[in-house]
Amino acid sequence: MTQFNPYLKLSRLVIFTKEGEISYDEAFHAGVNIIRGHNSSGKSTISNFIFYVLGGDFKKWTTAAQSCGDVYAELEINSEMVTVKRTVSPNVRQPMSIFWGSYEESNANGSIGWEIYPFSRNEKSNRKSFSNSLFLALGLPELRGDMDSNITMHQILRLLYVDQKSLTLDLLMTESFDSSITRKTISDLLFGVYDDTLYSDEISLREAEKEQEIKKKQFEGIERILKSSDTETDPLVINNQIDDNTKETASIESYLETLRNEQNLENQKSEEDQLKILEIKTVLLQNRNELTKLQSEINEYEFEISDSNEFIRSLEKRAIALKNSLTTRESFSEIQITHCPNCLSPLDAPVDKEHCHLCKQQLPEDKGSSQIKRMQQEVDNQLRESRKLLQNKEHLLLELKSKFPAIEQTVRQLQRDLNDSLRTVRSSRDERYDELLVKTGELRSENDHLVKQLRAIEQIDVLRKELAILATKIESLRISISSKRQDQNRKLQSSFEDIRNQSLRLLHSDLGRQPEFSTGSNVKIDFEKNTFSLDGENNFSESSNVYLKNSVRFGVFFTSLNMEFFRLPRFVLCDNIEDKGMEPVRSQSFQKEVVSMSNESDVEHQIIITTSMIAPELDNTDMCVGEFYTETQKTLKNID
């Protein structure tokens, strides 16, 4: 069969009592799985355990369930075996342990190889949650912003689990604290329209537009000041003026030196002058040392950031290589070798799919891919930690660089003060000498002003270039966003059309108990409002409302088998087929139609349903999981 990823299959569920005895141990298979038995025999308890061990947040345990301890689930995720474990607790947000291999392998390894993940990501340590880990294994895109912490396996399972406790007219599992944004993100993610690159583009566009607005104000402000002050704006003219002033200053200083030599000016400075010079030197030395230390720290952080970026790039390449390796393994595993590659003679068919087509030997359980999955998780952890450290380093570097200009300016000013003190302190002064000193001060001041003016002009030129680059970037981002949104709309339209068709097939197969179901033509679902309707109505009898809800939810599921771009993991768990007084014959008709639709699909999938009214044609078939449970022979064993 064809496999669309992501794909999730429950292969085995094992539940232990608090005393360590096995209370439930059953194998599950691809296709339809039916848990059957009388009412109050524990079928819903098993459904809740499946929901819980897959990552659902559940605490309303029955008395029997409260006697249980650890719950294990052997899963097949995108062709790879994974075993997960959670401990039954009245407290919410319990962690999950993950072992990359089969349940039997996890038993053989004891505590070795298990990794414990919290329910939610730790912002301080940047430790990822079990949802992050499972999303990576499933191949779901990385969620950005607040959604990274809001969208968990629990939220995903709200669309995969049709439970009895939710309100009949709620599309997703009912929650006390819920938001339309969360529900919309769940649908976008599982319908395959959530695009993390689109989110990145939208963030980049907002940042670019904000930066453009700031730079425009800076550009207009500087330009307005220059125009209002009637200042020269030609850099060549300003540079020539600075050169002339510098030459004149050098000429005056040379002349002053000559005067000092000719007039035998006293070089002995007063004690007050000496003290002033010493103070300036001391402060100057301190600031120079601070500037040198700061520059050294800046150089060090720049080197570390460059090294970190290179390390992150190598990790990203490794992550891509691991992903490609898995894809290659999956591709080659599907190739059926029917002829000998040497002599081209036809090969006998293997015993089963667990044996090699070529040599007929037993294939290893994980085919080496579980190790790749473990390595993927390790690389993902390293990437998250490295990016967090890099962000901290970049923040520190920015702080250091922001201190540098002020200290550098202070050093320059102190050096000028020291030079002036060393030149001007003398025992006697003449009027000509003082005039020349004043002139040099004026020239230096004019040059300082001209340099600032030149910097302002240069800044305008830089801003003009940056604004042009930003304009190009913004236009490119808008085109990219528009294209991706069009692709989203195309996918959504085709998805909703197929959901309508799949839901109507189930509704039209009803036994005429609700006439509108036979003639209905338009099924609509609204994730933001958490509801659904048939031809604009959903106010039918309670049993018909249940039938409509189940038809819609299975409609979404069967659409995932038709749309390769869907990210719903081709898994559905339904504990709600017979709710609200459903007639046995009506429930059985629904069961048979679901089985028929399942058999028609050549895409790997798993359906798990519970029923107390199993269709006779389906009873005691390979689809049934476990025995027929009763009030005396319940699902959970060894419970006091």
Side-chain angles (χ1 to χ4, degrees), residues 458-471:
E458 289 172 349
Q459 189 174 357
I460 278 187
D461 188 51
V462 169
L463 285 171
R464 185 181 287 109
K465 292 177 181 177
E466 288 179 344
L467 284 169
I469 293 171
L470 280 172

Side-chain angles (χ1 to χ4, degrees), residues 582-624:
M582 184 74 66
E583 293 178 78
V585 66
R586 198 177 186 191
S587 170
Q588 292 163 4
S589 173
F590 187 87
Q591 295 169 35
K592 288 187 287 185
E593 190 63 27
V594 166
V595 170
S596 176
M597 294 172 73
S598 171
N599 291 336
E600 290 171 13
S601 177
D602 63 352
V603 175
E604 287 191 78
H605 61 274
Q606 187 175 51
I607 299 170
I608 302 175
I609 61 176
T610 64
T611 178
S612 60
M613 309 172 181
I614 186 168
E617 301 93 322
L618 306 179
D619 199 11
N620 297 316
T621 65
D622 291 341
M623 286 180 277
C624 297

Side-chain angles (χ1 to χ4, degrees), residues 34-38 43 611 614 619-620 624-629:
I34 304 174
I35 302 173
R36 68 216 195 282
H38 292 160
K43 302 185 301 299
T611 178
I614 186 168
D619 199 11
N620 297 316
C624 297
V625 175
E627 59 191 88
F628 188 96
Y629 302 106

Side-chain angles (χ1 to χ4, degrees), residues 564-579:
E564 188 173 359
F565 60 80
F566 252 57
R567 296 198 188 100
L568 190 146
R570 284 76 193 184
F571 173 92
V572 66
L573 168 64
C574 183
D575 185 43
N576 191 39
I577 286 181
E578 293 131 18
D579 203 11

Side-chain angles (χ1 to χ4, degrees), residues 522-586:
N522 189 18
V523 172
K524 284 191 176 180
I525 59 175
D526 189 330
F527 281 90
E528 294 189 51
K529 294 182 179 179
N530 197 25
T531 190
F532 50 88
S533 64
L534 172 66
D535 295 332
E537 297 292 335
N538 59 9
N539 187 23
F540 305 108
S541 67
E542 283 298 293
S543 60
S544 290
N545 282 339
V546 170
Y547 198 101
L548 174 59
K549 177 175 182 175
N550 290 336
S551 297
V552 169
R553 291 289 289 273
F554 272 93
V556 172
F557 169 75
F558 282 115
T559 293
S560 76
L561 306 187
N562 295 335
M563 304 291 182
E564 188 173 359
F565 60 80
F566 252 57
R567 296 198 188 100
L568 190 146
R570 284 76 193 184
F571 173 92
V572 66
L573 168 64
C574 183
D575 185 43
N576 191 39
I577 286 181
E578 293 131 18
D579 203 11
K580 308 299 182 186
M582 184 74 66
E583 293 178 78
V585 66
R586 198 177 186 191

